[in-house]
């Protein structure tokens, strides 16, 4: 199977034939100690449109890890979805599982991707801490990362065919270099195992609008 996109030039009345972005290569996330599944976003991608009309797509993918674990990849289209760049890795610790990405582009053209990963996991098989991160880039190749939430104890999440934080994750830009992430976090309250939070993200320093880079895909 593969990831693809369809476009419409008449507000959704008619649609183009699907255009292939990339082959779908995902293995999903599991607890590295117990093998228990994390119910993640491996079957879903996310798309965003830049102010200049560029399209950005992100998804989970195991092509660069010999199918051992999923990274977060992005691909970019500069021609309305007709052609797409070679997928590149977003998550800054590619040797640990990363999952459930969201994507947005700010008014200055900077792309941001949120994702969870298991870099904070320990040797204790009874726990599975995960953290949420935001990575930003002007070119889709060079990324800066900052923590957003966590560590979240995944074993406190509902067990719905795997530890499940829910579908309520999202990201949007509130200004140049400023973001709002909507994330589900775990709770120690067994009667209310998760909460949905809106998290305002303002990286230190003023963010200038992006300029085109020769290394951009």
């Amino acid at each position: 199977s593969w990831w693809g996109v369809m476009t419409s030039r008449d507000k959704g009345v008619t649609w183009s034939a699907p255009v292939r972005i990339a082959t779908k290569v995902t293995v999903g996330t599991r607890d590295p100690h117990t093998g228990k599944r994390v119910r993640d976003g491996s079957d879903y991608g996310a798309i965003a449109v830049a102010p200049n009309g560029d399209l950005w797509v992100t998804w989970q993918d195991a092509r660069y890890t010999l199918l051992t674990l999923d990274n977060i990849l992005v691909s970019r289209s500069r021609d309305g979805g007709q052609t797409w760049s070679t997928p590149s890795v977003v998550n800054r610790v590619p040797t640990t599982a990363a999952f459930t990405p969201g994507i947005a582009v700010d008014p200055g053209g900077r792309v941001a991707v949120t994702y969870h990963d298991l870099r904070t996991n320990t040797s204790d098989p009874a726990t599975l801490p995960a953290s949420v991160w935001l990575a930003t880039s002007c070119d889709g190749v060079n990324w800066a990362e900052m923590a957003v939430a966590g560590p979240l104890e995944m074993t406190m999440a509902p067990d719905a065919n795997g530890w499940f934080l829910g579908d309520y994750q999202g990201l949007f830009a509130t200004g140049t270099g400023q973001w709002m992430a909507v994330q589900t976090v775990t709770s120690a309250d067994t009667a209310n195992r998760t909460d949905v939070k809106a998290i305002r993200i303002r990286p230190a320093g003023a963010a200038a609008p992006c300029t085109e880079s020769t290394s951009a895909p």
Side-chain angles (χ1 to χ4, degrees):
S1 59
W2 43 275
W3 301 104
V5 66
M6 299 168 64
T7 57
S8 174
R9 298 183 181 277
D10 53 15
K11 300 181 180 180
V13 177
T14 61
W15 292 85
S16 70
V19 174
R20 183 189 295 262
I21 299 172
T23 303
K24 185 178 180 183
V25 185
T26 182
V27 295
T29 309
R30 292 186 179 272
D31 184 327
H33 298 300
T34 67
K36 185 175 178 62
R37 182 186 178 207
V38 173
R39 189 171 163 188
D40 58 19
S42 58
D43 287 331
Y44 304 96
I47 192 168
V49 183
N52 66 355
D54 286 359
L55 302 176
W56 293 88
V57 172
T58 184
W59 68 94
Q60 288 179 224
D61 195 286
R63 73 187 58 209
Y64 298 134
T65 67
L66 300 178
L67 303 182
T68 58
L69 52 83
D70 285 345
N71 286 161
I72 304 301
L73 302 191
V74 295
S75 181
R76 180 186 194 180
S77 174
R78 296 173 177 269
D79 55 11
Q82 297 307 300
T83 60
W84 293 84
S85 65
T86 300
S88 59
V89 178
V90 176
N91 50 301
R92 298 297 82 200
V93 184
T95 54
T96 190
F99 53 100
T100 312
I103 193 167
V105 185
D106 77 6
R110 181 174 283 98
V111 60
V113 177
T114 50
Y115 54 90
H116 300 66
D117 76 10
L118 299 181
R119 75 180 71 174
T120 53
N121 191 26
T122 70
S123 59
D124 184 356
T127 65
L128 185 62
S131 297
V132 183
W133 305 88
L134 176 92
T136 60
S137 176
C138 284
D139 59 14
V141 175
N142 302 288
W143 296 86
E145 180 188 67
M146 65 177 294
V148 173
L152 318 173
E153 181 47 59
M154 295 295 293
T155 63
M156 292 180 179
D159 186 355
N161 193 26
W163 304 123
F164 185 43
L165 288 175
D167 301 316
Y168 317 108
Q169 323 283 343
L171 179 69
F172 61 93
T174 60
T176 299
Q178 300 181 35
W179 316 91
M180 184 70 76
V182 178
Q183 294 288 326
T184 305
V185 299
T186 53
S187 166
D189 182 357
T190 57
N192 179 51
R193 291 184 175 273
T194 57
D195 292 305
V196 180
K197 293 189 175 182
I199 305 170
R200 188 179 298 276
I201 306 168
R202 292 177 175 173
C210 289
T211 57
E212 288 296 319
S213 168
T214 56
S215 63

